[in-house]
Amino acid sequence: MFFMILFYLSISAFAKIETIFDIKTVVNYQTQTGTKTITIWSTNTRSEPTTTITSTIFTTTTLDDFTSKILSFHNEKRALHENTPPLTYSSQIAENSQEYANEYNCNGTLIHHENPLYGENLALGYETTAAVEAWYDEISFYNYSNPGFTEETGHFTQVIWQNTTMIGCGYKDCGSYYGQYTVCQYFSPGNYAGLFKENVKPLK
C-alpha cells in the first residue's frame, strides 16, 4: 500500500514568517483517506524568515546511507533541468524531519507537519531512492506550456523548485505491511502559485 500527499500551506502558518500574499488558490482532491484541501499562495514580496536555517555541505562519504542516497538522488534529478542548482544538506531541517517521522503512528494516514518555514514531501511504502523517484516521476504529468500547480505534480515541482536550496529528511520503519515512511522538508518551500515558470525549469 502506497501513499503520497501533496504539500499543504496554511494562512496562519505564513503569517508567522511575515509573508505578503496576493492570490489564494484552494484545490480540493480525493485521496485514499478522504478529501484533502490544499491552499496555494502566490507572493510578489517575501520577507526573510525570522528563524535562521543552517546548511552544511558534506561529501556523500560523511553522511549516513539514508541521507547520502536521498540527497544524491534529489541532486541527480535536479541536474537534469536547466539552471537548477544542487541542494545542500541541513542538519537543522533533517532533525526536524526526523522528529516528525518519529511521531508517526504507522496507521497509513499521512498528515503534513504544519511548519511555515518548510516545503514537505511524504511517502509511505517506498524505499529511500524509490520515494524520490515516485515524486519525480510526476514530471510526466507536468505541462510546461501551462506552468502551475496540479495535484498530480506537486511532489515533482517541489523536488526541482529552483529557489529551494536546502533539504533535510527523516524516516521510520513501519514494518512489513506499510514499509518505510519518509519525510523530506525543503527550504525555501516551493509550489507558489504564479512562480512556477521561473522555478520549474525544463529538461536540458
Side-chain angles (χ1 to χ4, degrees), residues 51-56 89-97 117-118 168 185:
T51 301
T52 300
I53 307 299
T54 59
S55 68
T56 308
Y89 171 76
S90 168
S91 57
Q92 181 178 343
I93 300 175
E95 181 178 353
N96 190 75
S97 296
L117 292 177
Y118 306 136
Q185 295 179 342

Side-chain angles (χ1 to χ4, degrees), residues 6-28:
L6 296 176
F7 174 49
Y8 167 78
L9 309 177
S10 70
I11 300 173
S12 59
F14 273 101
K16 296 177 184 177
I17 59 171
E18 302 176 346
T19 303
I20 300 173
F21 300 104
D22 301 310
I23 303 170
K24 181 177 74 172
T25 303
V26 177
V27 179
N28 293 311

Side-chain angles (χ1 to χ4, degrees), residues 41-43 46 77-78 81-85 87 136 142 144 147-148 153 155-165 187-203:
W41 296 94
S42 68
T43 174
R46 181 173 181 171
K77 298 303 184 184
R78 291 172 68 88
H81 294 261
E82 297 177 358
N83 302 317
T84 304
L87 301 173
Y136 182 82
Y142 191 73
Y144 279 96
T153 59
H155 300 95
F156 158 70
T157 50
Q158 175 59 88
V159 168
I160 70 158
W161 195 262
Q162 185 192 57
N163 197 46
T164 296
T165 59
F187 183 84
S188 295
N191 289 346
Y192 280 99
L195 298 180
F196 281 78
K197 184 176 181 179
E198 54 263 52
N199 281 284
V200 182
K201 299 297 184 179
L203 291 165

Side-chain angles (χ1 to χ4, degrees), residues 95-111:
E95 181 178 353
N96 190 75
S97 296
Q98 188 59 58
E99 287 177 356
Y100 192 59
N102 291 343
E103 295 172 1
Y104 186 54
N105 61 6
C106 296
N107 67 353
T109 299
L110 300 186
I111 300 175

Side-chain angles (χ1 to χ4, degrees), residues 158-190:
Q158 175 59 88
V159 168
I160 70 158
W161 195 262
Q162 185 192 57
N163 197 46
T164 296
T165 59
M166 288 180 277
I167 187 175
C169 301
Y171 73 98
K172 183 174 184 176
D173 183 358
C174 286
S176 59
Y177 185 72
Y178 284 118
Q180 181 172 301
Y181 170 62
T182 304
V183 179
C184 281
Q185 295 179 342
Y186 306 83
F187 183 84
S188 295

Side-chain angles (χ1 to χ4, degrees), residues 104-162:
Y104 186 54
N105 61 6
C106 296
N107 67 353
T109 299
L110 300 186
I111 300 175
H112 278 283
H113 192 288
E114 294 184 1
N115 190 319
L117 292 177
Y118 306 136
E120 184 175 79
N121 279 341
L122 303 177
L124 182 62
Y126 295 93
E127 294 300 321
T128 304
T129 56
V132 182
E133 189 70 58
W135 296 333
Y136 182 82
D137 280 351
E138 294 174 359
I139 187 176
S140 61
F141 302 107
Y142 191 73
N143 184 359
Y144 279 96
S145 299
N146 185 28
F149 175 82
T150 70
E151 63 186 71
E152 294 90 0
T153 59
H155 300 95
F156 158 70
T157 50
Q158 175 59 88
V159 168
I160 70 158
W161 195 262
Q162 185 192 57

